[in-house]
């Protein structure tokens, strides 16, 4: 089911304080991330946002969290001031009968320089792995494409922060679509679709079917090929 | 196999449906197949209920996903499928309200199909649309044309979306499968996805199946 409003909204820097419900699975994911790390080098939880889907006695949490970790792993040899490294992580945590299970973890560095909330160009809300911001011309084109997208697919966002966050997602997706386009060997065209404001995580969680990967359903008999006697 | 085939032109395929914000592609894939099988064996095209499967197939997980193989079993065990009109789609799981009296179609069995795409094409041309499952890489941004992602990007080991093959052919010498999706007509080519045929693209050949109606 779609996330309730309390789980929506907010951009990278404008995230609302995590609800109590998200904190349990987020801490569980953090513990999993820190497993095997020495004390003093463990990451700490920054911001958390996410959504939850329920079925029966289970809940599937799709979380996006920032983790802070010291860029210098050994405090004895670190030069001051010690800088912090921020990671943007996607986690999928399944909770069933009070027990948590980490289904997916995907972390990458965030360029803090481009996540300044005061700057409202959409470069400013992008957590980029690349340190180069997009050229201004690209930003203008994307902003226009996003405006068309919002009109075409009748999108409404609950807050300015959410709109800003969705613009950031849309921008990342357009770059991703270009990459997919470049790597396609057929005649397919990739670009703006009605799913363009969803993160890959959201798209997979909402629209796809993870059970198919297991392929452990009932064994069916093999069909005779047509034309076989 | 004939060089091309399209069950849409022969009236065996219902309009494109929309699963909404729910991972119920498995149900749409299977009902699409049963719609085709019923049409080919009984001559009537009926739009069948996915909601019945979401609510009453207790092996599968409704919006959290499911497997076509279990869905065929559920249809067989329940005693058939109601129509879309009688048991309409809600996009989330509800209490099972299947009524055997309202069931309009039944199936006798289900079969797993060959992984050889030439044999699959022959099967489609003779027997009707088939349920398939693929790696949905790139589909979030697909607009039109024949998709042929690089194999390492679209591994057949990561199958996460079920659909319905309704035909095949060639466009400018590029062989394709015509695949009915369940994301509405405002996605892809009027709701359809075209995928390269003959290269096992995105695992299109690994989970092909069909119901059997005697």
């Amino acid at each position: 089911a779609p996330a309730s409003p309390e789980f929506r909204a907010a951009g990278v820097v404008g995230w609302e304080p995590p609800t109590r419900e998200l904190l349990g699975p987020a801490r569980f994911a953090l513990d999993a991330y820190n497993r095997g790390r020495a004390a003093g080098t463990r990451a700490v939880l920054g911001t958390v946002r996410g959504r939850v889907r329920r079925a029966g006695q289970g809940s599937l949490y799709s979380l996006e969290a920032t983790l802070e970790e010291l860029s210098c792993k050994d405090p004895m040899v670190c030069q001051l001031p010690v800088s912090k490294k921020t990671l943007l992580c996607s986690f999928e945590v399944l909770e069933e009968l009070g027990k948590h299970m980490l289904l997916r973890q995907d972390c990458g560095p965030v360029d803090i320089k481009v996540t300044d909330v005061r700057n409202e160009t959409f470069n400013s809300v992008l957590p980029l792995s690349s340190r180069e911001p997009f050229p201004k011309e690209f930003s203008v084109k994307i902003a226009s494409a996003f405006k068309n997208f919002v009109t075409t697919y009748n999108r409404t966002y609950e807050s300015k922060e959410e709109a800003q966050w969705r613009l950031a997602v849309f921008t990342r997706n357009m770059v991703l679509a270009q990459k997919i386009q470049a790597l396609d060997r057929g005649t397919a065209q990739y670009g703006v679709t009605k799913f363009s404001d969803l993160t890959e995580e959201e798209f997979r969680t909402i629209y796809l079917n993870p059970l198919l990967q297991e392929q452990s359903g009932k064994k069916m008999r093999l069909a005779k090929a047509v034309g076989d006697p | 196999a004939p060089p091309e085939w399209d069950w849409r032109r022969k009236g065996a395929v219902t309009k494109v449906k929309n699963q909404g914000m729910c991972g119920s592609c498995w149900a749409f894939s299977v009902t699409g197949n049963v719609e085709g099988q019923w049409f080919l064996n009984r001559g009537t095209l009926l739009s069948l209920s996915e909601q019945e499967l979401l609510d009453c197939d207790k092996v599968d997980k409704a919006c959290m996903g499911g497997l076509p193989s279990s869905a065929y079993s559920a249809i067989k065990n329940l005693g058939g499928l109601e129509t879309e009109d009688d048991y309409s789609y809600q996009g989330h799981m509800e209490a099972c309200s299947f009524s055997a009296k309202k069931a309009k179609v039944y199936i006798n069995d289900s079969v797993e199909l060959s992984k050889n795409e030439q044999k699959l094409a022959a099967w489609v041309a003779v027997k009707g649309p088939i349920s398939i499952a693929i790696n949905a890489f790139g589909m979030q941004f697909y607009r039109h044309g024949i998709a042929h992602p690089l194999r390492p990007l679209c591994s057949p080991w990561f199958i996460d979306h079920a659909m319905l093959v309704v035909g095949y052919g060639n466009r400018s010498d590029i062989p394709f499968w015509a695949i009915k999706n369940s994301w509405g007509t405002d996605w892809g080519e009027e709701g359809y996805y075209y995928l390269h045929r003959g290269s096992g693209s995105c695992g299109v050949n690994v989970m092909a199946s069909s119901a059997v109606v005697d």
Side-chain angles (χ1 to χ4, degrees), chain A residues 1-3 51 53-56 58-60 94 96 152-153 169-170 172-174 176-228, chain B residues 18-26 60-61 63-70 72-73 92 109-114 119 122-123 126-127 133-134 136-151 153 156-162 171 174 183-187 193 206-210 212:
Chain A
R51 56 198 304 151
R53 298 173 71 198
R54 298 178 214 286
S59 298
L60 179 68
L94 181 69
E96 209 166 15
T152 305
Y153 297 106
V169 171
F170 181 88
R172 274 201 303 269
N173 282 342
M174 288 307 95
L176 182 58
Q178 277 184 7
K179 286 180 183 168
I180 294 170
Q181 181 74 66
L183 293 168
D184 194 283
R185 290 178 293 166
T187 60
Q189 294 292 310
Y190 299 88
V192 179
T193 69
K194 63 178 175 178
F195 305 122
S196 287
D197 65 342
L198 298 178
T199 65
E200 187 194 354
E201 187 70 28
E202 287 172 323
F203 179 73
R204 275 196 302 113
T205 308
I206 298 168
Y207 294 98
L208 300 182
N209 178 354
L211 294 187
L212 287 167
Q213 250 180 64
E214 298 166 16
Q215 297 185 23
S216 55
K218 175 182 170 277
K219 193 76 188 155
M220 293 181 284
R221 72 180 168 85
L222 198 61
K224 277 183 189 169
V226 289
D228 269 7
Chain B
N18 194 338
Q19 68 189 63
M21 295 175 79
C22 171
S24 51
C25 57
W26 56 277
D60 290 310
K61 309 284 183 202
C63 289
M64 302 283 274
L67 292 169
S69 55
S70 324
Y72 295 127
S73 295
H92 54 87
D109 200 358
S110 57
V111 285
E112 180 185 331
L113 303 179
S114 170
K119 288 182 179 174
W123 213 94
V126 175
K127 302 271 194 175
I134 65 164
F137 173 85
M139 287 181 66
Q140 185 177 358
F141 310 117
Y142 171 82
R143 288 170 61 84
H144 55 80
I146 300 169
H148 190 186
L150 287 176
R151 193 176 173 87
L153 298 176
W157 302 110
F158 294 100
I159 301 297
D160 54 10
H161 189 49
R171 272 189 204 168
I174 301 177
W183 292 347
T185 51
D186 57 351
W187 175 90
Y193 182 54
V206 300
M207 267 185 90
S209 66
S210 176
V212 176

Side-chain angles (χ1 to χ4, degrees), chain B residues 67-142:
Chain B
L67 292 169
S69 55
S70 324
Y72 295 127
S73 295
I75 296 169
K76 204 175 154 190
N77 295 336
L78 284 163
L81 278 173
E82 293 187 30
T83 62
E84 202 78 74
D85 287 343
D86 286 342
Y87 202 149
S88 59
Y89 188 67
Q90 305 299 317
H92 54 87
M93 195 170 118
E94 295 189 332
C96 176
S97 59
F98 171 73
S99 160
K101 285 180 189 166
K102 286 186 179 172
K104 295 290 193 305
V105 308
Y106 60 82
I107 66 171
N108 299 88
D109 200 358
S110 57
V111 285
E112 180 185 331
L113 303 179
S114 170
K115 290 179 174 51
N116 177 311
E117 286 181 80
Q118 187 62 27
K119 288 182 179 174
L120 274 182
W123 213 94
V124 167
V126 175
K127 302 271 194 175
I130 59 173
S131 165
I132 53 112
I134 65 164
N135 179 335
F137 173 85
M139 287 181 66
Q140 185 177 358
F141 310 117
Y142 171 82

Side-chain angles (χ1 to χ4, degrees), chain A residues 209, chain B residues 23-32 49-51 53-54 66 71 89 162:
Chain A
N209 178 354
Chain B
S24 51
C25 57
W26 56 277
F28 286 87
S29 174
V30 165
T31 56
S49 170
E50 294 78 26
Q51 191 65 37
L53 290 173
L54 262 64
Y89 188 67

